[in-house]
Amino acid sequence: MRAASATATTDFARLGATLTRLARGKRVIGFDVFDTLLRRRVPPEYVKDRAARFVADRLARHGVESDWSFVRHQRRELEGELCAENARAGGDEEFRLRELAPRWVAACGGPACEELAQSIVAHELELERLATYPTPGVAQVLAQLRQRGQRLIFVTDIYLSGDDVWRLLREAGLADSIDAGYCSSDFGRTKRSGRLFAHVLEQERLAPHELLFVGDNPHSDVDPARRLGIDVIHVVDAHEIQRRAGLQLVSDLARRNRFWSGTLARRILADSPRHVRASDCTEYQLGLRLAPAFIAFVRWVIDQAKALGLNRLLFASREGLTFLRMYRRIVRALDCAADAPSAAYFAASRRATFLPSLDELSVRGLHRLLRQYDRQPLARLLKNLNLPAEEFAPLAQRAGFASLDDPIVDPESHAAFQAFLADPQVQWRFAAHRDAARARMARYLEQQGFFDHDAVGLVDIGWKGSIQDNVVWAMRHRADCPAVHGLYFGLYHVAEDDVPRSYKHGYMADTRRGDWLEEVVFKNGPVFEMFSSAPHGGVLDYQPRRGQTDRVRPVLADDQAERQNFRGLAGQVFAAIDDYLREYLALAPLLDGSAADWRADVLDQLRRYILYPTLAEARSFLRYSHLESFGVFHQTTYEFKGSWRAILFGGSPLGIPRRFVQSLERQFWPQGILRRTRLPLVNLAYDLLETRRAGRRLPG
């Protein structure tokens, strides 16, 4: 037998050149498949773990409750048994997935059901499809070899069939470049033993020196082939080895601690993405940072709805439109539409729901508004209540108001305001408008299925759940008013707003947990509101539909400044969110971990952005604005609000740090303002200050 020449070693970048040099005189060039032609997004054992979870779920549907780890253990045992059986029959230690599936079900106490076994095989093949993609550059290498007339084959050790491997290669766009394939499970022979290589030589009618083989594994691709006299190109790629090692490490960590499952999912989604594009655009990068948080939130909503027994979800505008669209797409991708609650868009706003929620027009009744927006002029207060100024202005003048635009500094001692509230005409007209508004809102809620269930979920970005409070206060006297569960991205809980049969739950942050680390979300709430908000105007009220007196529709504001906010650079943020969602939907069956598991990693990524933004991130966000349509009515900008002159010269030089911090606390995003100053380590110093303050608030 001819001795094999020295094995050539190359990385993937130089593989084409190495093949050009060594392929001369070779009749056939063979390739290993996995980690050579195809790369994996996850380690092979991870796919088997995911398959075990699927089997456990399917067994549960057949009335067999099994922990997935037990199911996974049974597979390991069966793989060993099948390999031993094949060896006793004269083959190598190999098994076939299609032989494994029915025995796997039986070993776990499941029924003898061919359809179930086939579904397990189909699911694992789908996982393998999602887990693999063509090695960068390998398609060009194969095309060049084909142009030179080389015969190309694949040779692989795998428990999948040859047809299955062909499907994976076809999905990767490589199958047309390959002439034949040899799979260990089809022949009961493996590369590692050398017997599959010998079979290839026989079937291809080759002398060993006429075959050149390319692979990455020294134990199955290099050593056995060389012992038969086959020349080998050993692919040793430092970057690929590092990638696989990092992936294996995170996978092992996630298996031991669910905390890491979010990190693993993020790595899987970032590996050779099909939908997310490479872009240095700051706005696009912001969208990629927000998207995992929004997706995780929607997944949490699905989990919470199941845990709370909710059969109806109302996604409150305007942020709810983004989450509703995600919800519908994610439910389809996760194949849980049959179990997921029905969902609808609930066009609502604080302005449209506040008047119906009032029991009385008094300082006490207005407390929820006045505690947040004090010094309200009567004109603005009437606007917040959707009460017509032309109807109430004469009554206000009769009560002693010289101007409806002067702020009411102290409502309790404001004589004209107290006289206005005491006027029977004011109270009568208020009650008439309140009752009409309440009836319109009730009709709209009926149309949305609000009263058709014992409990409904109200989904929104947060923060205090005031729309939920308004709806419950307005409808609580109806016998068919359901229990309402507010499901919020972030919840800043206010205990005095709690009412019977109204419950609030926060996902990313909830002040009731007392975890100041998660409360970083509230340090830049606008970034989450702005880029989940629908591009239509706010809801002003509900009005009867034209020609349909029994149905109502939401009346939307039409503001040019609001529409402009969703154009230009902001469009890049929304595009990135959609691209990332498409990436997630494509790979969802491959991803492990619940929304609760992912929360820690997602929160960590958000914390970096909020506390330590880059200069480009700070500059980008601070250019945006937001139209306020309740409490105050103006376009809010996020630029610095204050006076540097007052900070620097408004007192003793020793008081500059104190005045600076006080000014920062009035900003929407102090960390962005600080980063834009370019002062070295200023964000770190401010974070330390905030951490010290939080430490003083902790118990003990």
Side-chain angles (χ1 to χ4, degrees), residues 509-520:
D510 188 328
T511 53
R512 292 172 298 185
R513 290 195 286 259
D515 184 350
W516 62 274
L517 285 173
E518 70 183 41
E519 291 175 18
V520 68

Side-chain angles (χ1 to χ4, degrees), residues 163-188:
D163 288 342
D164 298 333
V165 176
W166 275 113
R167 290 191 193 99
L168 295 178
L169 292 171
R170 195 172 298 114
E171 177 74 20
L174 304 179
D176 290 344
S177 297
I178 298 174
D179 299 291
Y182 298 88
C183 188
S184 62
S185 65
D186 287 344
F187 305 105

Side-chain angles (χ1 to χ4, degrees), residues 550-568:
D550 61 331
R551 294 184 65 82
V552 299
R553 63 176 180 84
V555 180
L556 305 180
D558 183 17
D559 192 281
Q560 179 63 32
E562 189 73 0
R563 290 198 301 271
Q564 188 65 33
N565 215 30
F566 289 88
R567 297 174 182 165

